[in-house]
């Protein structure tokens, strides 16, 4: 099978395929703690949009070079905009439908994982799922966790714990993120390989159901889910198995 052919990217994002059906995206600005630039965000948007429609890829992992996963937005780029008189931050937030790094508000039908051994701060925290240390320190810098982190953390951790983390800007450990706040499932595990061991149609339909459950009540979510393309792919495809399966790429309908 020929390897997937992703769109070209700059040196700020490394694209690789560590295992069958797995896409690995590595932030590559270690000297700048992988702070997100407009170029890196554009690279992520192009590759992730391509990933959504590439049937041979079932899961994507985000990671970073160096000692920090992502330190948030590159403030040098932001300051340059300010010096140039460009102050359209609110318009940019609304126009960027997929959020920070084209990830924090992305409603993908495929699983998006983060593999992090260092820290994740600000916007980096808004896109990470599995990290050693977490922080939303925006209030300490005079800004806001505006790219989707506030409602997501409030839904997962509840109002009081979300308020503690957001209003204090405090860093929390992976153990607290898992045991107290509840937004980490497992620490350092081969989740991606476990996911691609399952039916891609079933995984994508389930992921779509999770996304819909954040937007609608139970009845509307059920109707939207059961009549959606992802569920149709499950029931009309060839991947419903009774014995030990060998999964194939999702069927095109």
């Amino acid at each position: 099978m020929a390897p997937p052919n992703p769109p070209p990217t700059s040196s700020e994002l490394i694209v690789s395929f560590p295992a069958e059906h797995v896409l690995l995206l590595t932030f590559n600005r270690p000297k700048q703690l992988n702070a997100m630039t407009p170029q890196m965000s554009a690279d992520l948007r192009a590759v992730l949009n391509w990933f959504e429609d590439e049937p041979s890829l079932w899961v994507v992992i985000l990671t970073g070079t160096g000692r920090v996963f992502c330190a948030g937005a590159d403030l040098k780029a932001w300051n340059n905009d300010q010096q140039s008189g460009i102050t359209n931050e609110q318009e940019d937030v609304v126009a960027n439908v997929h959020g920070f790094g084209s990830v924090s508000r992305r409603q993908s039908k495929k699983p998006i994982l983060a593999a992090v051994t260092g820290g994740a701060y600000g916007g980096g925290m808004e896109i990470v799922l599995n990290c050693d240390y977490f922080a939303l320190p925006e209030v300490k810098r005079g800004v806001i966790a505006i790219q989707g982190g506030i409602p997501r953390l409030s839904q997962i951790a509840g109002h009081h714990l979300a308020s503690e983390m957001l209003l204090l800007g405090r860093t929390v450990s992976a153990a607290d993120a898992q045991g107290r706040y509840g937004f980490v499932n497992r620490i350092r595990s081969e989740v991606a390989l476990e996911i691609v061991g399952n039916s891609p149609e079933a995984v994508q339909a389930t992921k779509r159901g999770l996304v819909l459950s954040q937007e609608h009540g139970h009845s509307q979510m059920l109707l939207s889910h059961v009549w959606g393309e992802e569920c149709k792919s499950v029931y009309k495809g060839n991947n419903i198995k009774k014995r030990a399966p060998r999964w194939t790429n999702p069927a095109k309908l």
Side-chain angles (χ1 to χ4, degrees):
M1 180 183 296
N5 186 26
T9 61
S10 73
S11 61
E12 296 185 3
L13 184 69
I14 300 172
V15 180
S16 59
F17 307 95
E20 189 176 11
H21 307 305
V22 179
L23 169 65
L24 177 64
L25 301 180
T26 305
F27 306 151
N28 190 37
R29 302 184 71 228
K31 292 183 178 179
Q32 296 80 23
L33 304 182
N34 294 319
M36 187 70 62
T37 65
Q39 179 62 61
M40 187 189 292
S41 184
D43 289 342
L44 283 163
R45 181 170 58 252
V47 176
L48 287 171
N49 287 348
W50 165 81
F51 161 75
E52 299 283 6
D53 295 324
E54 174 51 56
S56 69
L57 294 173
W58 302 354
V59 62
V60 60
I61 305 171
L62 305 175
T63 192
T65 55
R67 59 189 178 89
V68 170
F69 171 76
C70 178
D74 188 319
L75 294 182
K76 288 185 178 179
W78 182 82
N79 285 330
N80 288 338
D81 286 344
Q82 297 297 304
Q83 295 296 325
S84 302
I86 301 174
T87 57
N88 55 348
E89 292 90 349
Q90 291 165 298
E91 292 85 351
D92 288 345
V93 168
V94 174
N96 186 4
V97 295
H98 295 309
F100 184 82
S102 196
V103 176
S104 69
R105 298 200 304 273
R106 180 175 288 270
Q107 296 186 337
S108 176
K109 66 182 180 182
K110 300 180 181 181
I112 301 175
L113 309 180
V116 186
T117 56
Y121 303 94
M125 168 61 195
E126 297 194 58
I127 65 174
V128 73
L129 298 175
N130 202 359
C131 183
D132 287 322
Y133 291 93
F134 302 82
L136 285 166
E138 278 83 351
V139 293
K140 293 180 179 292
R141 305 291 184 266
V143 291
I144 313 166
I146 199 68
Q147 295 282 10
I150 294 173
R152 193 174 299 278
L153 183 61
S154 181
Q155 288 175 350
I156 295 171
H159 176 80
H160 294 93
L161 286 174
S163 297
E164 178 181 305
M165 190 169 181
L166 289 160
L167 298 180
L168 297 178
R170 181 180 294 167
T171 298
V172 301
S173 68
D176 276 346
Q178 182 181 35
R180 186 166 182 244
Y181 290 87
F183 57 81
V184 165
N185 292 331
R186 282 186 265 177
I187 302 170
R188 291 192 180 95
S189 60
E190 299 296 332
V191 177
L193 295 181
E194 292 184 38
I195 289 174
V196 299
N198 298 326
S199 159
E201 288 101 335
V203 168
Q204 291 172 24
T206 302
K207 174 70 187 292
R208 181 60 179 160
L210 289 169
V211 171
L212 289 170
S213 69
Q214 296 178 357
E215 300 176 348
H216 305 293
H218 179 270
S219 297
Q220 181 60 46
M221 175 269 173
L222 178 64
L223 290 174
S224 299
H225 193 210
V226 76
W227 292 113
E229 290 298 318
E230 292 81 12
C231 278
K232 184 186 297 183
S233 179
V234 169
Y235 296 116
K236 302 296 184 183
N238 297 317
N239 274 336
I240 296 180
K241 309 291 185 182
K242 293 182 179 179
R243 299 181 178 86
R246 178 175 174 82
W247 306 117
T248 61
N249 292 333
K252 290 186 177 180
L253 300 178

